[in-house]
């Protein structure tokens, strides 16, 4: 079996803190983001609607797609660049 390494990709992301619904809605444009509550968001992704919980990161991928990512996975996968 062959082995593969994931290509380095720079993404944009924002942490959902339960209070920044408008900032995330702007970040996810043109996709619609609905407020589920102060602790949840419903985000339209390429795979359908996904729920983000307070503390999750919202990622914008290389083609402008947005999706939620759990903080432990995000921190294992990405390093902040300056």
């Amino acid at each position: 079996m062959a082995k593969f390494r994931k290509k380095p990709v720079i993404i944009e992301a924002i942490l959902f803190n339960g209070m920044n619904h408008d900032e995330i809605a702007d970040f996810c444009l043109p996709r619609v983001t609905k407020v589920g509550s102060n602790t949840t968001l419903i985000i339209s992704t390429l795979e359908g609607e996904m729920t983000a919980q307070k503390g999750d990161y919202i990622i914008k991928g290389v083609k402008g797609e947005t999706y939620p990512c759990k903080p432990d996975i995000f921190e294992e996968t990405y390093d902040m660049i300056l």
Side-chain angles (χ1 to χ4, degrees):
M1 173 187 326
K3 293 185 180 186
F4 297 86
R5 179 188 323 255
K6 192 174 185 177
K7 294 179 182 179
V9 175
I10 296 174
I11 55 101
E12 293 179 83
I14 186 169
L15 179 65
F16 173 45
N17 64 19
M19 304 292 286
N20 56 344
H21 297 92
D22 291 340
E23 185 180 10
I24 290 175
D26 289 343
F27 180 75
C28 292
L29 287 175
R31 288 164 182 81
V32 177
T33 303
K34 302 176 203 170
V35 177
S37 71
N38 283 343
T39 60
T40 62
L41 290 173
I42 310 300
I43 299 176
S44 296
T45 72
L46 297 176
E47 291 82 29
E49 290 188 337
M50 296 180 75
T51 301
Q53 303 292 323
K54 182 178 175 181
D56 289 350
Y57 285 86
I58 311 305
I59 295 174
K60 187 177 289 184
V62 296
K63 295 187 179 183
E65 72 279 15
T66 55
Y67 53 93
C69 182
K70 293 295 180 196
D72 57 334
I73 302 298
F74 184 88
E75 291 163 7
E76 277 186 37
T77 308
Y78 299 101
D79 291 318
M80 182 183 283
I81 60 173
L82 303 173

